[in-house]
Amino acid sequence: MADGSQHSMAYTAESTYGVTPGSPSFKAIRNKGTTLGQDIEGSIDEELRDDRQIVDYDCTGKNLGGDININFSYGSFDDFLEAVTMGTWENDKLTTGKTRRSFTIERRFGDITDKAYHRYRGCEINALNLSIAPRARVTGSLTVLSKDLTLGVSSLPGSTYTAATTSEVFKSFRGVVQEGSTDLAVATEITFSLNNNLEPRWVIGSETTDEPGVGRSNVSGQMSVYFKNSTLLEKFLNQEASSLKFSLVDAAGNTYVFTLPRIKYTGGKVDVSGEGAIILPLPFQATYDPTEGTNLTIERITA
């Protein structure tokens, strides 16, 4: 019987989509759970019989994917950040690009011997979600779209494994939030999402997807603030473009800086539900900034 306490995940980069490299070098994935798996689409045979029985059920296709749930920490997900932005780390800076990357992701159930290795080939990172809330760890998820799944009794021939990073998980009480280049001390929560809108491409002769189609880079989210004055509310009401920048810093001083150089608020309702502090939720949409040439920049600073 398998227990989650003995489940682990690792990944290796693919040079060719859907092809695990020979003698792969796997890196451990720090995670707190996953829904990565396979669903099968099928249909009941429509043949009619005088005994009212259903003749067969046929598989018409496979859908593979799911979320990897994470606590965000420095240096633990840099390959996946590169993949989800489709950019390339240059001088410790990452912007949105068009370079696609795929991985083989391996799940291992350490307390069973019957095909304990589940390998997902052709894994692309479709979305990144982060949540920053007071007095809490910075949490998130990586949404994966995969091509195929195989089961194995043991590790692949020639496989090597690199241990997971040990950097501290980011906490919300370290770091700075800037809105429109001004420090903002009243933010109560930031949720952030980058979605690539990958879509499977089904072809005749295969029950798995070809390399998925890719959509536009969609960066959106919500910032919630204590309602202190009307400055941010007026930006929403006037549909004024602004910017959002937030940093995450661990105890050692390692830092990520996320910059959305051009955003517009898509909501701003000042609801009141009781006698306590009033919170103003400000959902936002990031768009292309002609000066920065991107909708998103991620910088990493090693202590």
Side-chain angles (χ1 to χ4, degrees), residues 3-11 27-31 34 105-111 116-118 161:
D3 291 310
S5 59
Q6 297 189 56
H7 171 265
S8 61
M9 301 184 74
Y11 72 99
K27 298 179 182 179
I29 303 174
R30 294 176 68 171
N31 72 94
T34 184
I105 293 179
E106 180 181 86
R107 299 179 61 185
R108 179 174 179 266
F109 298 86
D111 47 0
Y117 293 82
H118 295 193
Y161 292 83

Side-chain angles (χ1 to χ4, degrees), residues 25-184:
S25 298
F26 283 98
K27 298 179 182 179
I29 303 174
R30 294 176 68 171
N31 72 94
K32 56 180 186 177
T34 184
T35 59
L36 182 59
Q38 174 178 294
D39 294 322
I40 291 179
E41 291 186 5
S43 63
I44 295 174
D45 193 310
E46 296 176 343
E47 179 180 340
L48 300 176
R49 298 164 49 98
D50 61 4
D51 59 4
R52 302 190 307 109
Q53 300 300 307
I54 294 173
V55 177
D56 202 0
Y57 176 88
D58 296 311
C59 171
T60 58
K62 298 177 180 178
N63 296 317
L64 291 97
D67 290 337
I68 301 172
N69 299 316
I70 62 172
N71 287 324
F72 196 56
S73 55
Y74 189 79
S76 304
F77 307 101
D78 284 359
D79 291 340
F80 292 151
L81 290 176
E82 201 174 47
V84 75
T85 60
M86 299 191 184
T88 301
W89 288 106
E90 295 181 358
N91 299 319
D92 288 323
K93 188 175 181 179
L94 189 61
T95 59
T96 303
K98 299 187 293 183
T99 302
R100 298 181 66 171
R101 295 172 175 84
S102 65
F103 307 92
T104 294
I105 293 179
E106 180 181 86
R107 299 179 61 185
R108 179 174 179 266
F109 298 86
D111 47 0
I112 64 173
T113 57
D114 178 23
K115 297 182 179 179
Y117 293 82
H118 295 193
R119 298 186 185 96
Y120 296 81
R121 299 182 295 112
C123 294
E124 292 189 272
I125 310 301
N126 190 21
L128 165 70
N129 299 282
L130 289 179
S131 177
I132 308 164
R135 304 176 68 180
R137 296 178 178 89
V138 177
T139 63
S141 65
L142 297 158
T143 301
V144 177
L145 187 63
S146 178
K147 177 179 177 62
D148 205 357
L149 165 65
T150 57
L151 305 184
V153 175
S154 61
S155 59
L156 293 171
S159 296
T160 58
Y161 292 83
T162 300
T165 65
T166 57
S167 49
E168 181 195 68
V169 174
F170 289 112
K171 312 297 194 304
S172 64
F173 56 81
R174 299 190 186 98
V176 176
V177 178
Q178 290 184 328
E179 199 281 343
S181 300
T182 300
D183 287 358
L184 188 67

